[in-house]
Amino acid sequence: MSTQLDRITRLIGRLLRTAPLTCVFLIAFWSIGALTGALGGPNDGLLARIGFGTGSPLWTALSSALWAMDLTGYVVTTALLLVFGTLTERELGALRTAAIFLASHVIGVFLGLGVVQLGSTLQWSWLESLTGEVAAGPSIGGVGLALACTFRMPALWRRRVRLMTALSLLVLTLYSGWLEDLLRLTGGMAGLLIGLLFLRKDTARTPRTLAETRVLVGLLVAASALGPVVTMMSPFPNGPLSWFSDVVAVAQPAQSDVDQACASDAVEQCRTMLIQLSYGRFPALVMSLLPALLLLVLAEGLRRGRRFAWWSALGCTVAYAAITGWYVAEAARFPDAGNLEVGFSYGVPILVPLVVTAVLLLTRKHFTVRLPRHAIRKFWRFTLGSIGLLSALYVFGGYLVRDQFSPQPGFLQLLADLPTRFLPPGYLGLVPLQFKANGFAGTLLFEYSGVVFWLIVLAGLLMASWRAWPSSSEKEAARARELVRRHGGSSLSHMTTWRGNQYWFTPDGETVIAYRVVATIALTVGDPVGPARMDAVRGFAEFCSENGWTPCLYSISAETRDEVAPLGWPAVQVAEDTVIDLDTLAFTGKKWQDVRTALNKAAKQGITAEWCAYADAPFAITDQVRWISAEWVADKGLPEMGFTLGSLEELTGDGVRCLLAIDADRTVHGITSWLPVYADGEVRGYTLDFMRRRANGFRGTMEFLIASAALELKDEGVRFLSLSGAPLARLDRGERPRLLQRVLDITGQVMEPVYGFRSLFAFKAKFQPTYRPMYMAYPDAAALPRIANAVSRAYLPHVTVRQGLRLAARMIGRS
C-alpha cells in the first residue's frame, strides 16, 4: 500500500512540476465547485448568478470559467485540461497557456452571444430558444486551448485532433443544441483563430500518408453516425437537427396520440403506433443504434484499408441519403418555420451523407486491402446461415406460438412480416405493420430476432476488419530458411524459421523479415535477415501501412536499433541477451564454483550428457521429455509462453540439437535445446531455447547441461553460445530509464512470481556471459497500448479466461 502511495505521490509531484498552472486551476476549479454545492447537481440559482448568457453582466464572461454545469462537466473538463493544458504548458509555458485559455473563453462566449442575437433577429426558433439561457464551464476555453495547441503538434496529430474536436463540437451543437454546446463551438473557433495568428509555424506542408488518409476518412464516417445517437442519449435535445433522431429511433408515441389515432379512421396509423408503443426499451435501443453501430464498424474497416468496408460504407451512406431524403421530403411538405431554418434543418441531414459519399469516391484508391476468397466465403456462409436460421426460427416458431400475437397471424403473414424484423424501428414507417406480440415467446421472436442477427453481422464485420489475413506458403518458408543459413544474423535468427511466422521479402528476395500479425500489430521476430536491413525495414513499414497494420521490430539488436533511429522510431529494451565466448572459456576461479560443483556431482551420480535429434529419439526418451514438460507447465498453473520462447513443437526444427541429462537407468533428468546460429553458410554458434528439469531429479541439471554443451561445442569449433534473452529483465547500466522503460521494469517485477524472468536472468549470470541488450522499436508512440496487448497475446496465445484472471490476481497480489 505504501508503495502505491509513493508512486501516486511521485506522479502528482511530476505533474505539478510539468504543468503547475493547470494543476492549480483544476484544484481551484474543484474546490470552488465543492464549496458552492455545484458538484451535487444542477444549481439553477448559482448558474443564474455566475453563468454567461444574453442578459448576463459582462463580468460573467470570466466567472463562467470557474464553474461547470454538473458533475459530468467537471469530470470531462478535468480530463480535457489534464491532456491539452499539460501539453500546451509544456510547449509554451504557463503565461501563454493562461492567455490562450482566457482569450479563447472570452472571445468564444461573446462570439456565441453574437450568433444567438443574430439568430433571434432572423427569427430562427432554435437560436431564439437560447435567448435568456445561461451557461458556464472552462471547457469553452479548454477546446480553444486544444485547437490552438494543434499548431505546435506534428502533422499527424494536428489533423487528427482538429478533425475529431471539430466534428464533436459540430455534432453536439447541431443535435444537442444547448447554449453550452454553442459556446464550446465558438470557443473552439476562437482557439483556431488564435493559433493561426500567433502559434503557426512556417513549416513545409507535409502530404498525408496512406495510413493517415484512411484514419481521417474513417473518423469522418464514424462522426456522420454519431449525431442521431447524441440526440437519442440527450434527455432534452434542442439542436436544429434534433428531429433527425426520429429517422433511426423507435417512435414511442404518447398514449393520448395513440387513442386519438385509433378513434379516427386512420387504421394503418393506429396499428403502427400500437406496435411502436409495444416495443421493449432494450431491443428498441439496440436496433435504433444499428445504423450508427454499422457505420462505426465500417469506419474501423476503413481505418485498416479494407476494400469491403469501402463498398459497404458507400452503400450505407447512399441508402442513408435516400431514406433521409424520403423523411425530409415528407417533413418539408408541412413547414413550421422560416425558409432559413427549414433549409438548414432539412438540408444538412441530406448534405452529410452526400459529402461522405463524395469523400469515399475521391479516396477510393486508398482502400486496396482485399480479403482472401476463403475469408469472403466464410463471412457469407456465416451471415447467410444466420439469416436462414433466425428466419426459420421466427416463421416456424412464431407459427407454433401464433396465439401470442395480436391479431393472430398465419404462416404467410409471418413470412411477409419477416423483413421488418431486421429493420431498425425508426424505419418501420416505410412498411405496414400487421400485428404485435403479447406473450413471452412471441415477444422474444418478434423483438429479438433482428437484434441477434445484427449483432452477429456486426461481430463478423468487426472480425473481418480486425483479423489479419496474411498467407505465406511453404515455398516462402523454405526461402527464409535458406537465407538464414546463407546470411546468418542475430542469436534469434533461427526463430525466423518457426511455424506460425509469415514472411516479407525485399524485391530482390535477398532480405527477409519474419513477422506475426497479432491484433493488427505486425511483430517481427528478431533482426531482418539479409544484407539490406534498412531497405527491408522501410519496405516492410510500407507493406504494413498498406495492410492496415502497425509494424513493431521486436527483439532486435543494438545495431538494428541504431539503424532505424534516423527514421524517428523510438526504442525500448525488452530483454538482455547473454553470450558465452567459447574461445576463452575455462571453468577456473571462484566465479565458476557452482558450475564445477554441478559437473562433479553429475559424474559421481553417473549422470551423463547425450546429444540427440528429438525427431529421431526413441519413444522411451521423448515420452519422458513430454512428461517433464507437462509437469513443469502444471506447476506453473499457466500455459507455456510462445513467440520467442520455444516449446516441444520447436524441438523438431531443422538443425536443432537437444542435450539430455541421463543417468545409468536411462532416466531423463533434464533437457536443453540449442538453435543453430549461421554465418557465411556455417554454424558459428548456438542459442539456448528449451529448458526443462525433472522436479525430483538432479538439482544441478541445468548448470550441468549448459556447461557440458559449452565444453563439447567448443571442441567442435563453435565460437559462442547464447543463453538467449530473458524477457522483461535487463542489466543496470547506470542510465536513467525513460517512463516506458520503467513501466516494463515494474511489469517484470510484478510477473516475477509467475514466470521468474529475473530469476532466470540471475541464473544465467553464473556463466559469466557478455550482455547484449535486445530492443523493441516502433514507429508510433500512440500505438503503444496496442503493441503491449499484441506482445502479451503473442507470448501467451493459449491463456483461457480463467487462467488470465488467475494471472491478473497473482500480479495484483504481487504489486
Side-chain angles (χ1 to χ4, degrees):
M1 186 66 178
S2 60
T3 304
Q4 294 290 350
L5 290 175
D6 291 341
R7 291 174 184 169
I8 295 173
T9 303
R10 288 196 298 269
L11 179 62
I12 294 174
R14 190 179 302 115
L15 188 60
L16 284 170
R17 291 191 300 271
T18 304
L21 177 66
T22 301
C23 294
V24 170
F25 176 81
L26 288 176
I27 292 172
F29 177 52
W30 280 88
S31 301
I32 293 172
L35 293 173
T36 57
L39 300 180
N43 189 328
D44 295 336
L46 175 65
L47 186 61
R49 291 193 298 272
I50 56 89
F52 183 85
T54 53
S56 302
L58 293 180
W59 58 266
T60 58
L62 295 175
S63 64
S64 59
L66 298 176
W67 281 268
M69 303 286 286
D70 50 31
L71 183 59
T72 303
Y74 277 91
V75 174
V76 174
T77 300
T78 300
L80 177 69
L81 292 179
L82 278 177
V83 175
F84 292 103
T86 303
L87 287 175
T88 310
E89 198 169 346
R90 184 184 300 171
E91 176 71 21
L92 303 176
L95 291 179
R96 285 203 284 179
T97 300
I100 294 171
F101 173 79
L102 287 175
S104 298
H105 183 87
V106 173
I107 296 173
V109 296
F110 281 109
L111 185 59
L113 178 63
V115 173
V116 172
Q117 292 177 338
L118 177 62
S120 300
T121 303
L122 297 174
Q123 296 183 337
W124 192 340
S125 60
W126 165 51
L127 293 173
E128 282 183 327
S129 70
L130 301 182
T131 303
E133 294 289 329
V134 291
S139 59
I140 299 168
V143 294
L145 185 67
L147 289 173
C149 181
T150 60
F151 286 90
R152 293 299 178 89
M153 290 182 179
L156 179 71
W157 283 104
R158 180 167 63 243
R159 297 185 184 115
R160 292 183 182 182
V161 172
R162 285 179 184 173
L163 182 62
M164 292 176 65
T165 306
L167 290 176
S168 300
L169 295 175
L170 282 171
V171 165
L172 287 172
T173 303
L174 295 177
Y175 289 92
S176 178
W178 291 103
L179 182 59
E180 61 267 25
D181 301 313
L182 177 61
L183 296 184
R184 274 192 289 265
L185 177 62
T186 53
M189 295 170 59
L192 274 178
L193 181 62
I194 292 170
L196 181 64
L197 294 177
F198 301 105
L199 300 180
R200 185 179 180 182
K201 292 182 178 180
D202 294 329
T203 55
R205 185 178 179 86
T206 57
R208 286 190 295 269
T209 63
L210 175 66
E212 182 63 11
T213 301
R214 290 171 175 175
V215 169
L216 295 178
V217 174
L219 287 174
L220 179 63
V221 171
S224 69
L226 294 180
V229 176
V230 171
T231 308
M232 291 168 55
M233 298 304 177
S234 177
F236 305 106
N238 187 55
L241 305 186
S242 58
W243 66 271
F244 193 59
S245 63
D246 294 336
V247 178
V248 293
V250 59
Q252 293 280 3
Q255 186 64 50
S256 59
D257 295 334
V258 177
D259 295 338
Q260 182 179 355
C262 294
S264 64
D265 296 332
V267 179
E268 289 295 332
Q269 184 182 7
C270 173
R271 180 185 294 115
T272 299
M273 294 178 72
L274 284 172
I275 294 173
Q276 290 174 336
L277 190 63
S278 70
Y279 260 84
R281 288 188 177 182
F282 177 74
L285 176 64
V286 175
M287 292 295 286
S288 297
L289 292 174
L290 173 63
L293 292 175
L294 181 59
L295 287 177
L296 286 175
V297 170
L298 294 178
E300 176 64 13
L302 291 172
R303 187 175 75 87
R304 303 191 186 284
R306 301 293 195 255
R307 170 64 71 173
F308 83 88
W310 185 89
W311 279 109
S312 301
L314 184 66
C316 286
T317 52
V318 170
Y320 211 43
I323 294 173
T324 304
W326 181 84
Y327 270 85
V328 167
E330 290 293 317
R333 291 169 57 189
F334 309 100
D336 56 355
N339 292 332
L340 174 63
E341 184 172 354
V342 170
F344 186 88
S345 299
Y346 294 149
V348 172
I350 297 180
L351 185 62
V352 169
L354 292 179
V355 169
V356 174
T357 301
V359 170
L360 287 171
L361 291 173
L362 291 174
T363 57
R364 180 178 183 272
K365 63 181 181 180
H366 294 86
F367 304 95
T368 56
V369 181
R370 299 179 183 272
L371 297 181
R373 290 185 177 180
H374 68 88
I376 297 174
R377 288 195 299 267
K378 182 178 180 180
F379 174 78
W380 281 113
R381 282 198 304 266
F382 181 70
T383 304
L384 295 178
S386 300
I387 292 178
L389 180 62
L390 290 169
S391 299
L393 185 63
Y394 175 72
V395 174
F396 291 101
Y399 186 75
L400 293 176
V401 295
R402 56 188 180 276
D403 57 323
Q404 297 187 15
F405 292 91
S406 177
Q408 184 171 313
F411 184 83
L412 294 179
Q413 288 175 303
L414 285 167
L415 190 61
D417 183 67
L418 179 62
T420 66
R421 296 306 95 224
F422 303 119
L423 284 176
Y427 297 168
L428 295 181
L430 301 174
V431 294
L433 302 176
Q434 303 299 328
F435 45 83
K436 65 177 183 177
N438 297 319
F440 174 76
T443 301
L444 197 65
L445 293 171
F446 188 79
E447 297 185 4
Y448 284 89
S449 295
V451 172
V452 173
F453 166 72
W454 282 108
L455 289 179
I456 290 174
V457 170
L458 290 174
L461 289 172
L462 199 58
M463 291 302 296
S465 300
W466 277 349
R467 184 176 176 184
W469 303 92
S471 58
S472 291
S473 63
E474 181 57 35
K475 182 179 179 181
E476 291 177 323
R479 284 176 58 196
R481 287 193 292 270
E482 194 274 332
L483 289 176
V484 169
R485 292 192 188 95
R486 191 196 315 166
H487 298 294
S490 67
S491 59
L492 302 185
S493 59
H494 188 270
M495 296 178 185
T496 298
T497 66
W498 281 0
R499 188 179 293 111
N501 290 335
Q502 308 296 327
Y503 302 100
W504 181 87
F505 296 88
T506 52
D508 61 4
E510 288 299 309
T511 305
V512 62
I513 291 181
Y515 66 96
R516 300 186 183 193
V517 180
V518 183
T520 72
I521 302 296
L523 291 172
T524 69
V525 184
D527 294 333
V529 176
R533 294 196 297 186
M534 276 305 299
D535 291 340
V537 171
R538 291 191 184 95
F540 180 69
E542 294 177 2
F543 167 73
C544 291
S545 178
E546 291 173 1
N547 284 275
W549 305 332
T550 300
C552 176
L553 307 181
Y554 193 81
S555 289
I556 59 174
S557 62
E559 291 79 9
T560 303
R561 178 207 59 179
D562 295 339
E563 288 178 355
V564 301
L567 299 179
W569 289 32
V572 62
Q573 186 177 345
V574 293
E576 192 86 52
D577 193 9
T578 46
V579 180
I580 303 174
D581 185 1
L582 297 184
D583 292 337
T584 59
L585 178 67
F587 297 143
T588 58
K590 186 176 181 180
K591 294 181 179 180
W592 294 96
Q593 181 63 47
D594 290 344
V595 176
R596 291 197 304 271
T597 300
L599 290 171
N600 294 333
K601 286 186 176 181
K604 292 178 181 178
Q605 297 182 23
I607 296 175
T608 58
E610 295 185 11
W611 290 101
C612 74
Y614 187 78
D616 301 328
F619 177 78
I621 297 297
T622 59
D623 183 60
Q624 290 187 70
V625 172
R626 285 193 294 269
W627 187 90
I628 291 171
S629 180
E631 180 186 42
W632 182 87
V633 172
D635 181 63
K636 290 288 183 184
L638 290 168
E640 291 183 272
M641 301 186 80
F643 193 34
T644 61
L645 300 173
S647 61
L648 284 171
E649 184 179 359
E650 282 71 39
L651 295 182
T652 58
D654 185 25
V656 177
R657 299 174 65 175
C658 295
L659 187 62
L660 308 172
I662 300 180
D663 63 18
D665 298 326
R666 305 301 294 171
T667 298
V668 177
H669 288 253
I671 178 175
T672 55
S673 71
W674 299 87
L675 313 178
V677 181
Y678 294 91
D680 300 325
E682 298 181 358
V683 177
R684 299 297 177 88
Y686 281 92
T687 299
L688 175 64
D689 179 35
F690 188 83
M691 300 170 60
R692 296 291 185 270
R693 181 179 70 86
R694 188 182 292 272
N696 58 352
F698 171 55
R699 289 185 59 83
T701 300
M702 288 301 111
E703 291 90 339
F704 166 70
L705 286 174
I706 294 173
S708 300
L711 293 173
E712 296 189 28
L713 292 175
K714 179 181 179 180
D715 294 340
E716 294 179 13
V718 175
R719 294 182 178 179
F720 68 89
L721 291 185
S722 168
L723 302 185
S724 194
L728 300 179
R730 66 186 183 91
L731 186 68
D732 186 2
R733 293 178 170 85
E735 302 172 352
R736 184 177 180 180
R738 295 185 300 171
L739 176 61
L740 180 57
Q741 188 67 68
R742 292 197 297 270
V743 170
L744 292 178
D745 292 343
I746 293 171
T747 303
Q749 180 182 359
V750 171
M751 292 190 68
E752 176 63 22
V754 183
Y755 281 106
F757 296 134
R758 298 189 173 190
S759 300
L760 178 62
F761 182 63
F763 165 78
K764 293 176 180 179
K766 294 181 180 181
F767 296 90
Q768 315 305 315
T770 300
Y771 295 101
R772 296 177 182 175
M774 306 172 75
Y775 296 92
M776 175 181 74
Y778 47 91
D780 187 2
L784 274 176
R786 294 188 292 117
I787 291 174
N789 172 58
V791 171
S792 62
R793 289 175 58 180
Y795 273 113
L796 296 168
H798 306 299
V799 173
T800 63
V801 174
R802 181 178 179 182
Q803 290 169 333
L805 292 174
R806 184 187 304 166
L807 173 60
R810 293 176 67 178
M811 290 174 63
I812 292 172
R814 170 63 179 174
S815 64

